[in-house]
Amino acid sequence: MEPGSSAPCLSASPGCIPPGHSALLTALPLSPDALRFDEEEDDLEVFSKDANLHDGSSFSPLMLASPSSMINQVKFEDEPEVKDLFITVDEPESHITAIETFITYRIATKTTRSEFDSSEFEVRRRYQDFLWLKGRLEEAHPTLIIPPLPEKFIVKGMVERFNDDFIETRRKALHKFLNRIADHPTLTFNEDFKIFLTAQAWELTSHKKQGPGLFSRMGQTIKAVASSVRGVKNRPDEFIELGEYMEAFGQKISVLDKVSQRILKEEKDYYEEMKEYGPIYTLWSASEEDLVDPLRGMAGSIDKCCKVTEALNSKLSNDLIPIIHEYVLYSETLSGVLRRRDLIQAELDAKVDALVNRKADKDILKDEIEKLEDKVECANNALKADWERWKKNMRTDLKDTFLNMADSRINRYEECLATWETFLSSQSYDEQFDAQEEEGS
């Protein structure tokens, strides 16, 4: 981080939080062949076509960050690594009403922070509440990298939309989402995050209604679209490089995600075939008296290797694929962050153009330009600092995941190798024993 980069944020704190440009991610499906988006529904959990705006997607006015939060926004590396907020997402429950069916999850929080009224909290939240939190974080911190949420999709051919596998996959992703926020040096002190963790359902609903109305949000969206069309004249080179890096990263991680999904499918098919393979040897041994031992040995060895393959598939499904897919979504998140940074700069560029063309009072424009320059500088500093933090975490996550997967595969293959070597040794011993008996006779 550049020396003294935090100064602009402290001297012009109101400009450090630009107007909300909330943009939910357009999530990528896990597999193009198996998944599709349901564009008609507001949420996978909602059957009703008449979704309540206040319940799921309203956003409140901006809340200025505290001075300590402002400092954290651009000085991540100085943060002490002391964990004082522990969050668990568990115990999913299905709720059925006259117009919709949805799942809620228990959010259990333990903390030693003085700003919390208690050391333990327990609330229940639905997926729409997580969407609300993500939107509020994007509004309050437009150039920070907000962790991605699991996307809204429907699995083709699924009879029961809320099957156990889907609910558990989503629960794990929501658990990671909240803990990523809790570990972030700035987001963790966001007031909406605290309310999300502590407020009862009626309190959260009331808090949501304090946000801007539908027409206000539509105005923000129109403004954002107009700014994006106008474009940015001079994006700094460092952000051009960041955008190019993320484009290349997104392409690579997306391919890796698709290949991993395909490998898992093939491994599962192999496992199912192998489960049927072992019993054949067992049945065969019943009709071949002279081959009973080798046939049963084959059946036992196949059964052991089958269990090893099942463990490998579980490791692939639970450890590798989720982290890869999370970074697929992160690549989309980074694109959104860059767009929001560009919107802030585009607003400044427009004011500068107006001053040059004398389209308004010069004194008023100069004052607005000065404030926007502070806002742009603060947004840039925040993004640069968070980018370095994210990149470091990304490399650690992927490196650890790949090494753990490699180590797991080596161990599992060694188990299979030992199983077959034991089988071959036993057969070699039996052949020698039979040969000695023949010589003796």
Side-chain angles (χ1 to χ4, degrees):
M1 187 171 65
E2 298 177 2
S5 60
S6 61
C9 289
L10 296 176
S11 63
S13 57
C16 288
I17 304 178
H21 298 299
S22 177
L24 295 177
L25 300 181
T26 303
L28 298 178
L30 285 174
S31 172
D33 297 328
L35 307 176
R36 66 177 175 83
F37 288 104
D38 187 353
E39 298 178 351
E40 295 180 354
E41 293 185 345
D42 180 60
D43 180 11
L44 173 65
E45 299 170 345
V46 180
F47 288 177
S48 171
K49 308 298 181 186
D50 184 19
N52 188 341
L53 288 172
H54 291 305
D55 186 37
S57 58
S58 61
F59 302 97
S60 73
L62 296 177
M63 292 184 180
L64 295 181
S66 65
S68 62
S69 178
M70 291 300 215
I71 296 173
N72 289 336
Q73 193 171 8
V74 293
K75 292 188 68 177
F76 298 149
E77 67 271 25
D78 295 335
E79 287 298 315
E81 295 184 1
V82 178
K83 191 171 179 65
D84 55 5
L85 186 62
F86 302 87
I87 304 171
T88 303
V89 179
D90 58 15
E91 298 183 11
E93 288 183 2
S94 177
H95 300 262
I96 302 176
T97 68
I99 60 173
E100 64 177 352
T101 297
F102 58 92
I103 305 295
T104 63
Y105 303 84
R106 185 183 77 126
I107 314 297
T109 303
K110 294 184 179 181
T111 183
T112 57
R113 294 183 184 175
S114 58
E115 61 263 31
F116 285 81
D117 297 331
S118 176
S119 60
E120 295 187 15
F121 297 89
E122 183 176 314
V123 296
R124 297 201 71 84
R125 299 286 183 256
R126 59 187 295 181
Y127 182 75
Q128 287 184 353
D129 297 326
F130 287 84
L131 285 176
W132 170 83
L133 173 62
K134 182 174 180 294
R136 291 301 292 267
L137 292 175
E138 289 176 341
E139 241 184 297
H141 310 282
T143 55
L144 293 186
I145 303 170
I146 312 300
L149 277 171
E151 61 269 72
K152 299 181 290 186
F153 58 78
I154 294 176
V155 180
K156 287 183 178 179
M158 181 186 291
V159 177
E160 175 54 58
R161 303 183 72 191
F162 297 110
N163 68 2
D164 292 340
D165 289 342
F166 172 81
I167 293 174
E168 178 60 13
T169 298
R170 172 165 282 188
R171 183 201 65 77
K172 290 179 179 178
L174 296 177
H175 175 88
K176 177 168 284 189
F177 170 75
L178 292 183
N179 279 277
R180 294 276 197 195
I181 296 173
D183 293 338
H184 193 285
T186 299
L187 301 178
T188 187
F189 296 107
N190 179 274
E191 184 65 20
D192 287 306
F193 181 48
K194 176 186 172 184
I195 291 172
F196 178 90
L197 296 176
T198 61
Q200 294 304 309
W202 67 270
E203 294 175 312
L204 183 63
T205 300
S206 176
H207 181 70
K208 288 180 179 181
K209 292 179 180 179
Q210 297 174 12
L214 172 61
F215 291 105
S216 175
R217 294 198 304 277
M218 288 177 62
Q220 292 176 0
T221 301
I222 293 172
K223 181 179 178 181
V225 171
S227 298
S228 63
V229 171
R230 183 166 58 244
V232 177
K233 291 184 177 180
N234 299 304
R235 177 190 276 183
D237 291 341
E238 57 196 319
F239 297 117
I240 293 177
E241 293 176 3
L242 192 156
E244 292 173 350
Y245 177 95
M246 283 313 304
E247 183 178 359
F249 174 83
Q251 292 173 353
K252 293 182 177 69
I253 202 72
S254 295
V255 171
L256 192 59
D257 183 46
K258 294 175 183 178
V259 172
S260 298
Q261 293 285 342
R262 188 167 67 246
I263 289 174
L264 177 60
K265 181 181 182 303
E266 292 172 355
E267 292 280 2
K268 285 183 175 180
D269 291 341
Y270 172 69
Y271 168 73
E272 293 299 327
E273 292 290 340
M274 192 157 55
K275 276 202 308 184
E276 298 178 4
Y277 193 39
I280 295 175
Y281 286 94
T282 302
L283 293 173
W284 189 7
S285 67
S287 59
E288 292 285 352
E289 184 177 346
D290 294 336
L291 295 175
V292 170
D293 289 341
L295 289 174
R296 288 181 177 175
M298 283 288 295
S301 298
I302 291 172
D303 183 60
K304 290 179 180 179
C305 290
C306 194
K307 293 177 180 178
V308 169
T309 302
E310 184 180 24
L312 276 175
N313 291 345
S314 177
K315 188 80 173 174
L316 187 65
S317 178
N318 296 325
D319 295 346
L320 179 65
I321 289 178
I323 194 71
I324 291 177
H325 191 67
E326 182 186 22
Y327 279 100
V328 170
L329 300 179
Y330 258 127
S331 68
E332 293 293 313
T333 297
L334 262 296
S335 298
V337 171
L338 276 176
R339 285 194 297 269
R340 290 194 290 273
R341 192 219 70 86
D342 289 347
L343 289 175
I344 300 172
Q345 185 177 335
E347 187 178 2
L348 172 61
D349 293 342
K351 295 294 183 182
V352 172
D353 289 343
L355 179 61
V356 172
N357 298 324
R358 297 182 181 181
K359 293 182 179 179
D361 184 85
K362 281 189 175 183
D363 292 335
I364 295 177
L365 280 176
K366 287 180 179 179
D367 184 56
E368 292 178 350
I369 288 173
E370 184 177 348
K371 292 179 180 179
L372 284 171
E373 285 175 343
D374 288 341
K375 184 186 291 187
V376 169
E377 185 174 3
C378 187
N380 289 346
N381 289 337
L383 177 52
K384 285 188 287 186
D386 210 21
W387 165 246
E388 292 301 323
R389 180 199 64 83
W390 178 86
K391 192 162 54 173
K392 179 180 178 181
N393 289 343
M394 176 270 292
R395 288 170 176 170
T396 299
D397 284 347
L398 293 180
K399 179 181 177 180
D400 290 346
T401 299
F402 296 151
L403 290 178
N404 288 337
M405 182 57 59
D407 187 58
S408 175
R409 285 193 168 270
I410 290 172
N411 292 336
R412 300 300 182 184
Y413 289 144
E414 285 179 344
E415 289 182 40
C416 283
L417 180 61
T419 296
W420 289 113
E421 286 180 339
T422 300
F423 169 71
L424 291 176
S425 297
S426 68
Q427 296 307 304
S428 177
Y429 174 80
D430 290 343
E431 290 177 1
Q432 293 177 4
F433 183 77
D434 292 340
Q436 290 176 357
E437 282 191 337
E438 291 179 0
E439 291 177 0
S441 61

